[in-house]
Amino acid sequence: MDKEDLKRIRQAIADANSVVFLGGAGVSTLSGIPDFRSSTAIYDSLAKRGLDYETILSHSFFLAHPDEFYDFYWSTMVNENAKPNLAHIALADFEKRTHKLTIVTQNIDGLHQKAGSTKVLEAHGTIHHYHCMKCHRHYGLDELEHHGIPYCQDCGGLIKPDVVLYEEPLDEDTLMRSVSAVERANVLIIGGTSMRVYPIAGLPRYFNIGKQIIINAEATPYDRYCDFIIHEDIGDTLSAILGE
C-alpha cells in the first residue's frame, strides 16, 4: 500500500466518530473457512451428487432432505477448530481501543466474537444458534450432536440452524440496524467481499459523507465508488490501517 494512502486512511479513521466494517467470506478464508463461491473442492463434491451449494443450502432442500442438508452442513459449514485470524484480531483490538466500530458480516462462523468484537451484526445468521421449528425452543451449538439430524428434546420437532438459507429473507431487525450503522458512519471499510450478494451489497448506498475503503483480492463492481482500493492481504491491511 502506498505510504501516502496509508497516512490518509489512518487520518480519516482517527477523525471519524463512527466506523463500519462490512465484511464477507474473504475475512475468514485465512482461518480455513471455505468461500463457497470460489471453492473448487466444494463445487466438485456437490457436482458428483448432482447438486450445487445454492440448492443444498436452500430452505426447500432443508425441509425435503434434512439428512443430506445436515450431512453437508456438519462436514462443511461448522468448522469448530477455526480460530480468528489477523483480520478478526485487528478489528477487535480497534473496537476495544476506540469504541466506535460496528461490524456487519455476511459470515456465519462467529469468529469476530471469538476474537473479542462485541458490536457485530450477523446479516446471514450464525452456526452457533438453532431453534425447533415446532415449539421454537432455542439451542446452542454446544447442545447438539454434530452429526445427523438434530431433533428437539422437548417435542421431537426438526431443529433448524439460525442461518439464512437461500429462499429465506434476511432478519429485518438485523438489516435495519445495519442500515442505521452505515448511515451514521464517517468511514466505511468493505473487506473480503465480491459485493455481488444482495441485499447486503446494497448497504453502501446508505453511506452519506466520509471515506470509503475497499480491501479485496479481486476487483469488485463497487470499486469505482471508493476513495481507496486495496488489493492486498486483508489481515495485514487491517492491521496497518487500524493499528495503534
Side-chain angles (χ1 to χ4, degrees):
M1 189 193 327
D2 180 83
K3 287 184 179 180
E4 199 56 41
D5 281 351
L6 175 58
K7 183 178 179 181
R8 290 200 296 266
I9 291 170
R10 287 178 60 86
Q11 189 60 57
I13 291 170
D15 292 341
N17 295 317
S18 178
V19 178
V20 166
F21 177 78
L22 174 58
V27 177
S28 291
T29 51
L30 294 175
S31 296
I33 307 291
D35 177 355
F36 292 105
R37 293 177 181 277
S38 60
S39 174
T40 303
I42 292 175
Y43 177 85
D44 289 345
S45 173
L46 290 173
K48 288 177 183 176
R49 297 154 64 183
L51 296 168
D52 56 59
Y53 70 88
E54 291 188 8
T55 298
I56 204 167
L57 294 177
S58 67
H59 181 80
S60 56
F61 191 92
F62 167 73
L63 293 178
H65 308 282
D67 52 344
E68 285 190 76
F69 171 89
Y70 268 112
D71 179 56
F72 178 77
Y73 179 84
W74 293 128
S75 64
T76 307
M77 300 185 70
V78 177
N79 298 272
E80 296 178 83
N81 297 322
K83 296 180 180 179
N85 60 55
L86 201 56
H88 299 108
I89 293 167
L91 289 161
D93 287 348
F94 178 74
E95 180 197 329
K96 207 172 296 181
R97 293 196 322 271
T98 68
H99 307 288
K100 62 182 181 182
L101 175 69
T102 299
I103 295 171
V104 180
T105 180
Q106 298 173 78
N107 298 331
I108 60 173
D109 49 53
L111 290 178
H112 283 297
Q113 292 92 327
K114 202 168 185 180
S117 294
T118 60
K119 294 171 67 177
V120 183
L121 297 171
E122 296 172 304
H124 294 161
T126 174
I127 62 167
H128 294 280
H129 299 154
Y130 299 76
H131 71 277
C132 172
M133 298 187 71
K134 186 175 179 181
C135 73
H136 307 294
R137 173 177 167 177
H138 292 278
Y139 290 86
L141 177 61
D142 57 353
E143 296 178 82
L144 304 176
E145 297 288 340
H146 301 173
H147 59 80
I149 306 171
Y151 291 102
C152 182
Q153 297 171 14
D154 289 345
C155 71
L158 176 64
I159 290 175
K160 179 187 177 298
D162 287 349
V163 169
V164 179
L165 302 178
Y166 288 96
E167 304 169 350
E168 294 180 338
L170 270 60
D171 177 73
E172 188 172 343
D173 178 62
T174 301
L175 186 56
M176 289 301 99
R177 288 168 65 197
S178 300
V179 168
S180 179
V182 172
E183 285 179 329
R184 294 193 309 269
N186 311 114
V187 171
L188 175 62
I189 306 171
I190 301 167
T193 172
S194 65
M195 293 300 286
R196 297 181 186 276
V197 180
Y198 286 84
I200 295 305
L203 281 178
R205 75 180 63 162
Y206 296 99
F207 185 71
N208 293 307
I209 299 174
K211 298 297 183 183
Q212 297 188 80
I213 304 146
I214 190 161
I215 311 161
N216 200 53
E218 300 175 353
T220 81
Y222 197 71
D223 287 7
R224 58 180 174 162
Y225 300 108
C226 294
D227 300 283
F228 301 95
I229 303 164
I230 305 169
H231 298 308
E232 297 180 22
D233 180 88
I234 192 166
D236 291 338
T237 301
L238 287 175
S239 295
I241 68 175
L242 297 177
E244 291 186 274

